[in-house]
Amino acid sequence: MGSKRIRYRRAAAAVAAGALPCLAFPAPALWWFAYVALVPWMLLLRSAPSGRRAALEGWLGGAGFIVAVHHWLLPSLHVFLLPLAALVGLLWIPWALLVREFLGGVPDPGRAAAALLLVPAGWLLSELARSWQGLGGPWGLLGASQWQVPPALRLASVGGVWLVSLLVVAVNCGLVLLIAVPGARVPAVAGVTGCVVLTGAVWLWVPRPEVSGALRVAVVQPGLVADGPDSAEQRFAAGERLTRALAGQRVDLVVWGESSVGADLAGRPDLAGRLAALSAEVGAPLLVNVDARRPAGPVAPAAAAAPDAAAAAFTAPVAAAASTADGGIYKSSVLVGPRGPTGDRYDKMRLVPFGEYIPARSLLGWATSVGKAAGEDRRRGAEPVLMNLPGRPGVRIGPLVCFESAFPDMSRRLTRDGAALLIAQSATSSFQRSWAPAQHASLAALRAAEDGRPMVHATLTGISAVYGPSGERVGGALPTSARTARVYEVPLARGSTYYVRFGDWPVGVCLALLAVYCAAEGARSLGLRKPAPAPEPTTPPARTARG
């Protein structure tokens, strides 16, 4: 009975310890806590009596981490969050086994030094695996908790958020050695010192982005609108009213949030006309976001429904784009000028699991009955799009929609293709009183620092924020209580960061380290295996008669 009670206590401790790192992320944003948050979990794993027990406690801790970091999804997913967390939590099992292997017992200095490399590599393996869109994407990566720490942002410009995660886990690993293994203090101190020296060297010698000019970008945040049959029209009208107040402020671009337009512009030339009139009044193009069903197949020319020839002229580009649509629902960034839609349109490529589509709907479609899961799968875009900014020759903007800002590769691709300004259009209105808006806004700081390009995070209901090319905050953020339009002086930058040039190289290094370790373990196990004994004869030896 006593041993069973101990097992239950250890299981509960694993769940609680795995949940601790959530405090390093917004909204608490205790960034410093990330450097010690893994220590209780790792101390528990190193004391596991068996590899099977370590695997179980790694799994439970991983599930606890997912629930804690994504707890704000409970109103939408309800109990479905628990099996999802149990599934994703399995990804921490290899890391847990590495912790027990290299930190368990009394590791010698060589094993302790190896732990400082392989334990962080194992953690990064779990982050890489769960970054797949089907498992929810790279939300809650440990390195993302450092979004407001300038030295960490500089590290991100060298190796992306992955390098920051590695450093944070390495510091936790060093602290575990200092606490639990007195004989390994030399490699532990050397490892932590190495992390500090690396960060200092990057801070001193890695060049900062070279600022070259600026854009005046207005973010329009209309705030919450009550659900109802006319909520889309109310939201549009609120954005229209706030945008009109920007007239005379010499704005280069006006950005609306995700789902700010609730009807396809080809089918609603009246909305297209109102947007064009706004653009003319403000003297700047509008980047809006259309969340609507697109007409399927050939579409009748919009001019037939337009009230006059001018309306027909600016609805033509949208009608042409819609003429090849499949009749599905798209989320699209659309650039609108004084003459109407410019023809630049980006369709969201990576959709939110369960929120915008249900993976394996034939098996998991029942999720719609227990939460706010998507009743119909939205359609995906085919490729990223760069848009030329009217009135600013040579300046191109790279739009992303919603949680696409969590994917480092997407903003890197836009930057490599020539984006001068990254824009994320988002809507977290379903999660207003949770940690989600602050978590989402913080991701833009990482993307800006990684790519050396400013990033605008524009939302319907907050938090909206703007970050410069080093990840620094530009102006004040718009909280969830704000209903306003604000103009930001956004610095542009030239040049290229190491991350843009070399990509996810920390991931490659970690995979190589783990591969070498696995190969060495395989060779060692083969070398220790005793040769098989010679088979016993199956028939008795023949006797020879002598006479």
Side-chain angles (χ1 to χ4, degrees):
M1 181 64 70
S3 62
K4 183 177 291 187
R5 186 179 296 116
I6 291 173
R7 288 199 298 269
Y8 288 151
R9 287 178 178 174
R10 286 184 64 97
V15 174
L20 280 178
C22 77
L23 299 176
F25 295 90
L30 305 177
W31 64 266
W32 52 267
F33 186 64
Y35 295 92
V36 300
L38 298 180
V39 170
W41 192 6
M42 295 170 74
L43 289 174
L44 185 70
L45 293 172
R46 73 176 294 273
S47 66
S50 66
R52 179 177 297 180
R53 189 70 200 181
L56 174 63
E57 291 168 358
W59 173 41
L60 293 174
F65 176 82
I66 293 298
V67 171
V69 173
H70 297 83
H71 70 275
W72 42 269
L73 285 172
L74 280 169
S76 295
L77 294 183
H78 295 292
V79 295
F80 196 78
L81 179 61
L82 299 180
L84 184 63
L87 172 65
V88 180
L90 294 170
L91 299 175
W92 272 270
I93 289 178
W95 175 73
L97 294 175
L98 286 169
V99 170
R100 182 178 183 275
E101 172 68 21
F102 286 95
L103 299 178
V106 185
D108 56 49
R111 192 150 61 100
L116 292 168
L117 295 175
L118 290 172
V119 169
W123 179 275
L124 199 66
L125 182 66
S126 68
E127 289 201 334
L128 179 65
R130 72 186 179 89
S131 294
W132 177 52
Q133 178 195 340
L135 292 178
W139 194 288
L141 301 183
L142 197 57
S145 65
Q146 306 302 295
W147 64 278
Q148 55 186 325
V149 183
L153 291 173
R154 193 70 56 79
L155 281 173
S157 75
V158 175
V161 67
W162 315 110
L163 183 59
V164 185
S165 285
L166 285 172
L167 180 137
V168 171
V169 180
V171 171
N172 276 271
C173 189
L175 292 177
V176 169
L177 289 170
L178 286 172
I179 293 170
V181 189
R185 285 176 178 169
V186 172
V189 171
V192 174
T193 303
C195 292
V196 174
V197 171
L198 171 64
T199 304
V202 168
W203 178 259
L204 291 174
W205 288 306
V206 170
R208 294 168 173 81
E210 182 182 351
V211 175
S212 58
L215 287 176
R216 288 177 59 80
V217 179
V219 174
V220 176
Q221 181 176 299
L224 277 174
V225 172
D227 290 335
D230 61 343
S231 58
E233 176 59 34
Q234 290 185 39
R235 187 178 301 113
F236 186 98
E240 189 177 32
R241 182 178 63 256
L242 293 170
T243 301
R244 189 168 287 117
L246 297 169
Q249 297 192 39
R250 297 183 296 104
V251 178
D252 294 305
L253 176 67
V254 178
V255 183
W256 288 18
E258 179 188 12
S259 304
S260 49
V261 180
D264 188 79
L265 295 181
R268 289 289 304 274
D270 58 318
L271 296 183
R274 288 162 66 180
L275 291 171
L278 269 181
S279 176
E281 185 174 351
V282 174
L286 278 59
L287 184 69
V288 301
N289 189 271
V290 178
D291 183 0
R293 186 176 303 279
R294 198 173 301 175
V299 179
D308 53 38
F314 61 64
T315 54
V318 182
S323 63
T324 58
D326 59 3
I329 302 175
Y330 289 81
K331 285 192 176 180
S332 306
S333 301
V334 179
L335 192 63
V336 181
R339 295 179 58 83
T342 64
D344 288 329
R345 180 175 196 145
Y346 166 66
D347 297 328
K348 185 177 182 181
M349 298 169 61
R350 295 184 182 172
L351 305 178
V352 179
F354 298 98
E356 295 171 338
Y357 80 105
I358 296 182
R361 182 176 285 272
S362 59
L363 296 176
L364 302 177
W366 57 269
T368 58
S369 63
V370 297
K372 299 177 182 178
E376 176 183 347
D377 292 350
R378 277 158 170 76
R379 300 293 195 266
R380 303 175 189 273
E383 59 185 3
V385 173
L386 288 177
M387 302 178 180
N388 294 311
L389 184 61
R392 294 299 298 263
V395 175
R396 295 197 288 175
I397 60 177
L400 299 168
V401 182
C402 192
F403 95 137
E404 288 182 330
S405 65
F407 292 86
D409 65 299
M410 296 194 73
S411 55
R412 176 174 177 258
R413 166 73 184 274
L414 289 170
T415 303
R416 286 174 63 89
D417 288 347
L421 173 65
L422 301 170
I423 298 175
Q425 296 174 295
S426 176
T428 52
S429 52
S430 300
F431 312 105
Q432 277 298 92
R433 295 177 179 84
S434 73
W435 296 359
Q439 286 183 12
H440 200 177
S442 70
L443 296 175
L446 267 296
R447 303 292 86 83
E450 288 170 343
D451 301 310
R453 295 293 182 269
M455 188 162 192
V456 174
H457 179 79
T459 73
L460 289 178
T461 57
I463 297 172
S464 298
V466 178
Y467 299 92
S470 295
E472 75 279 13
R473 177 72 62 80
V474 175
L478 299 181
T480 55
S481 59
R483 296 188 175 196
T484 187
R486 181 174 295 179
V487 179
Y488 294 87
E489 193 81 18
V490 181
L492 300 179
R494 60 166 63 99
S496 181
T497 65
Y498 288 111
Y499 177 70
V500 170
R501 277 183 261 172
F502 302 112
D504 301 328
W505 62 266
V507 173
V509 170
C510 289
L511 292 177
L513 286 173
L514 293 171
V516 169
Y517 165 69
C518 291
E521 283 296 295
R524 187 168 68 88
S525 63
L526 290 174
L528 293 176
R529 186 180 297 168
K530 296 181 180 179
E536 295 291 332
T538 56
T539 56
R543 295 185 178 182
T544 303
R546 296 178 182 271

